[in-house]
Amino acid sequence: MIEARELTKSFGSIRAVEGVSFDVSAGELLALVGGSGSGKTTVLRMVNRLVEPDHGSVRIAGEYAQRRDEHVLRRTIGYVLQGAGLFPHMTVEENIGITPKLLRWNEELIARRVCELMRLLELDTALATRLPSQLSGGQQQRVGVARALAARPSILLLDEPFGALDPLTRDRLQQSFKQLRTELRMTAVLVTHDMMEAFLLADRIGVLEAGRLVQISTPREILMHPASDYVERLMDTPRRQAKVFDELMGGVSGG
């Protein structure tokens, strides 16, 4: 579904991404992880041409992305940002329906799609006429996901979509998204700095360090066989969290 080859990008004298290649199969979720400045968001944005590579290529379903009109391409790929990125002057239903409207869907079809997505994302239909400022953070993020899915894209790109939420809301949305993706068989690329989120949601994980892809494999393989000291350090946090939880549970059962 997605084939990225030798993606390279510099901003001035800074090489943000260098020689990154990966594939994402239909129905698969690939999580891109790494520290700040590792290049993961730049890689994501090169998929839908929000950033143009200096070198390399992206193919979507066998077709080179660079040969397609960038605006048309983006309307066929759902994009979810941290903080939802909703249009503040538009209501919930207008935000969700904006891409189908640009694609010239008729109003009845747009209205049906908005209602369908609000049910799917567990949004009360009474919220349809509210502005984003009248919603909670979790509701805004659900609207952002609904908007990304509105035109039935074959691919979903997610850039730290749950990072700004409180832990309980974040957990609920992660679980909802996991179920939603399974039902819709969505192909997705997720950028996250949270290794536990990557383990929870991803079929495979790609680790970036200083603009290079240093390992790409299943969550289990990366956890058990990190390819470098850098990947090993990234694994320290989930390992410590699991150890603390096991110790606490052992104390509870022992008591």
Side-chain angles (χ1 to χ4, degrees), residues 8-196:
T8 300
K9 182 66 181 179
S10 295
F11 297 101
S13 61
I14 299 173
R15 181 63 62 89
V17 175
E18 185 164 2
V20 169
S21 298
F22 60 87
D23 295 333
V24 186
S25 301
E28 180 183 30
L29 189 149
L30 173 69
L32 298 177
V33 302
S36 297
S38 61
K40 51 190 186 294
T41 291
T42 302
V43 169
L44 188 77
R45 291 178 176 177
M46 282 192 275
V47 173
N48 69 348
R49 297 189 62 192
L50 282 172
V51 170
E52 297 288 357
D54 298 331
H55 177 73
S57 65
V58 174
R59 291 202 295 177
I60 307 292
E63 183 178 1
Y64 283 101
Q66 289 94 331
R67 295 178 183 173
R68 297 186 62 185
D69 179 272
E70 59 194 74
H71 301 294
V72 174
L73 176 70
R74 287 175 203 149
R75 290 171 190 170
T76 64
I77 299 175
Y79 194 77
V80 184
L81 299 166
Q82 180 176 332
L86 302 177
F87 297 111
H89 61 288
M90 290 184 178
T91 64
V92 166
E93 59 187 353
E94 289 170 339
N95 266 285
I96 296 173
I98 184 64
T99 301
K101 184 176 181 179
L102 291 171
L103 293 172
R104 301 182 184 278
W105 290 21
N106 67 58
E107 291 186 8
E108 182 181 351
L109 187 57
I110 293 173
R112 286 206 306 268
R113 184 60 174 161
V114 169
C115 288
E116 176 187 10
L117 286 167
M118 289 188 72
R119 286 195 299 270
L120 201 60
L121 271 299
E122 301 175 357
L123 286 162
D124 192 324
T125 53
L127 300 175
T129 57
R130 293 191 185 179
L131 295 172
S133 60
Q134 298 172 304
L135 305 178
S136 69
Q139 289 170 336
Q140 289 183 32
Q141 205 63 44
R142 287 178 189 272
V143 173
V145 174
R147 183 178 64 182
L149 295 175
R152 296 187 174 89
S154 57
I155 293 170
L156 193 63
L157 306 179
L158 305 104
D159 191 359
E160 300 279 6
F162 313 123
L165 303 173
D166 66 85
L168 286 177
T169 301
R170 182 172 187 162
D171 180 65
R172 285 202 308 274
L173 277 179
Q174 287 171 342
Q175 296 295 338
S176 295
F177 175 73
K178 186 175 183 179
Q179 181 179 348
L180 178 69
R181 192 181 71 83
T182 300
E183 291 176 3
L184 299 179
R185 296 185 58 80
M186 291 291 301
T187 303
V189 182
L190 166 72
V191 163
T192 180
H193 67 276
D194 185 337
M195 286 304 307
M196 291 303 294

